[in-house]
Amino acid sequence: MRIKTISRSVDEFTRERSQDLQRVFHNFDPSLRPMEKAVEYQRALTAAKLEKIFARPFVGAMDGHRDGISCMAKNPNYLKGIFSASMDGDIRLWDIATRRTVCQFPGHRGAVRGLTVSTDGNVLVSCGTDCNVRLWSVPRPSLEDSDLSSEKSIEPSAVYTCKNALLAVDHQFEGDLFATAGAQLDIWNHNRSQPVQSFTSGSHSVISVRFNPGEPDILATSSGDNHISIYDIRMSSAARKILMRTKTNSIAWNPMEPMNFTAANEDGNCYSFDGRKNEEAKCVHKDHVSAVMDIDFSPTGREFVTGSYDRSVRIFPYNGGHSREIYHTKRMQRVFCVKYSSDATYVISGSDDTNLRLWKAKASEQLGVILPREQKKHEYNEAVKNRYKHLPEIKRIVRHRHLPKPIYKAKAESRAMNDAKRRKDERRKAHSAQGTVVTESHRTRRIIKEVE
């Protein structure tokens, strides 16, 4: 006769310390828990409500500039540092942790339109409407100094003069070259006072430039004649061009997928392209009601942040058509520049009201040290929310956002205009001969042609 006994190992159930939790084993047989789905749904609903209750995205403002913020740059080798420049020529280095100015870089006599930092973090390059390119040595000791009671002024290490006003600048991810945008596209070396290479873009100025993070010799530009151009600096002309219906204000490459880039357009939308296949956009990101002025990708490549003329900051998933978050305040004016922090935890925005604002990338994220049990609880809440996010009640709570009244009214008006245009196109197609009216997809509607 066989006798079965219930036994358990003492080692598996004995606590190492008296403060440890007692280990509990669960039987996951669904027949033993008939109400498991209902309990999980209620937990997901509670998690969605708690996320809204604890959503406090605004961290603080950095005040010191006397004119509107025109551009920003982050140091790839220093997490807490952020550079900003204003329309009156003032350039500052900020310490994000204390939200105070570390040092200033005086010298520009007009609006500073471009800032960038070299890969090693030692050289800051600035350009502006005074036709000057200035190179600055980033002061490493003052970055690590905790005493920020006195602001320091730094003199430029080199000054290069151009014939025309400059509108943008960007540095190679690997190498000693940087590019300036203006009446033409110029490629510079740190050790030479004249451009090593120049590209002309026609009668219109180049308004933005961005190097590819994977291929150091590839860069993308946008110009005032609505063209987006991809250059290889080893060639004498543009490799590819896309002609859009409206102007592109800024471009950002995806750091994890360097063949893809996203363009911030004047029509209020962002367009993601595959650099190898540009006849249509991969995705159209639409939520802004006015021109998108700047764009920057998260270091993870899964999201990007945009700043718009409609006085709001939005965060989009890289493959989603609508934003997951919108940030705004009553005092914030038109947003001209935005940046993701190097650890993807914060978003910094610079606006026309002379302030830099610091936001959390996740509005309800808990700052400070999180205990392991708290971290597991947050992960569990996210998991149950994702499991039941398609249900109406949870979907409504998660998607709801408070919008400023001007944006809300403009959004309703835009929706009404788009619906009217869609009904008109449908009626025209229904009352025309078959095949005479072709419906364009939204991904190709704003693209006129691709030039190779």
Side-chain angles (χ1 to χ4, degrees), residues 89-100:
D90 183 26
I91 304 174
R92 290 172 179 252
L93 170 59
W94 300 85
D95 186 277
I96 296 179
T98 58
R99 301 199 290 277
R100 296 175 64 180

Side-chain angles (χ1 to χ4, degrees), residues 23 33 54 61 79 111 121 138 144 158 166 181 222 230 274 304 308 325 330 348 352 354 370 376 411 416:
R23 193 173 299 179
R33 292 178 174 81
F54 292 111
L79 192 63
V138 178
E144 299 165 358
L166 301 174
S222 64
I230 299 177
D274 188 332
F304 62 87
S308 173
E325 201 64 77
K330 289 184 179 180
I348 303 102
D352 202 17
T354 74
I370 302 178
K376 289 180 180 179
K411 196 73 178 172

Side-chain angles (χ1 to χ4, degrees), residues 284-354:
V284 180
H285 314 273
K286 46 185 179 180
D287 265 339
H288 284 293
V289 296
S290 190
V292 185
M293 303 304 296
D294 197 15
I295 181 173
D296 188 47
F297 261 95
S298 165
T300 62
R302 310 299 295 179
E303 292 179 338
F304 62 87
V305 60
T306 59
S308 173
Y309 211 74
D310 62 9
R311 299 182 293 181
S312 68
V313 176
R314 289 183 182 266
I315 299 176
F316 290 85
Y318 80 106
N319 57 356
H322 294 280
S323 62
R324 71 160 179 86
E325 201 64 77
I326 175 173
Y327 296 154
H328 56 88
T329 65
K330 289 184 179 180
R331 297 185 179 184
M332 186 165 68
Q333 298 301 311
R334 298 164 296 188
V335 181
F336 288 142
C337 51
V338 288
K339 287 292 180 186
Y340 247 106
S341 65
S342 299
D343 59 352
T345 304
Y346 299 99
V347 168
I348 303 102
S349 65
S351 56
D352 202 17
D353 58 358
T354 74

Side-chain angles (χ1 to χ4, degrees), residues 264-282:
N265 207 267
E266 193 79 11
D267 62 358
N269 296 335
C270 296
Y271 299 89
S272 291
F273 291 94
D274 188 332
R276 304 161 298 182
K277 183 181 176 183
N278 298 322
E279 61 266 15
E280 71 170 17
K282 290 185 63 179

Side-chain angles (χ1 to χ4, degrees), residues 41-212:
Y41 170 76
Q42 195 61 40
R43 289 174 178 171
L45 190 61
T46 304
K49 292 178 180 178
L50 287 175
E51 183 183 26
K52 292 298 175 185
I53 292 172
F54 292 111
R56 298 290 184 270
F58 182 67
V59 178
M62 292 176 276
D63 187 13
H65 285 288
R66 297 182 180 179
D67 208 339
I69 312 296
S70 57
C71 54
M72 291 190 298
K74 54 188 176 184
N75 193 330
N77 285 346
Y78 189 70
L79 192 63
K80 295 195 299 178
I82 186 79
F83 297 92
S84 67
S86 62
M87 302 297 284
D88 62 353
D90 183 26
I91 304 174
R92 290 172 179 252
L93 170 59
W94 300 85
D95 186 277
I96 296 179
T98 58
R99 301 199 290 277
R100 296 175 64 180
T101 302
V102 176
C103 61
Q104 292 181 269
F105 303 85
H108 281 282
R109 296 187 178 182
V112 181
R113 303 307 300 267
L115 281 180
T116 186
V117 184
S118 61
T119 310
D120 57 9
N122 294 328
V123 179
L124 171 69
V125 184
S126 64
C127 68
T129 56
D130 59 355
C131 307
N132 285 337
V133 179
R134 294 176 180 265
L135 274 61
W136 316 80
S137 296
V138 178
R140 299 300 298 175
S142 63
L143 284 176
E144 299 165 358
D145 189 6
S146 59
D147 183 16
L148 303 175
S149 57
S150 59
E151 300 176 5
K152 301 177 182 179
S153 295
I154 307 298
E155 294 298 324
S157 57
V159 180
Y160 307 146
T161 303
C162 302
K163 296 179 181 179
N164 301 287
L166 301 174
L167 303 178
V169 65
D170 194 44
H171 200 283
Q172 272 185 324
F173 280 76
E174 293 180 4
D176 295 329
L177 301 179
F178 63 91
T180 58
Q184 62 184 12
L185 177 66
D186 293 326
I187 310 299
W188 302 75
N189 190 297
H190 287 192
N191 302 318
R192 298 187 63 177
S193 60
Q194 295 296 326
V196 297
Q197 196 172 3
S198 296
F199 300 93
T200 57
S201 61
S203 58
H204 289 77
S205 298
V206 181
I207 57 178
S208 70
V209 59
R210 197 66 66 93
F211 272 97
N212 188 294

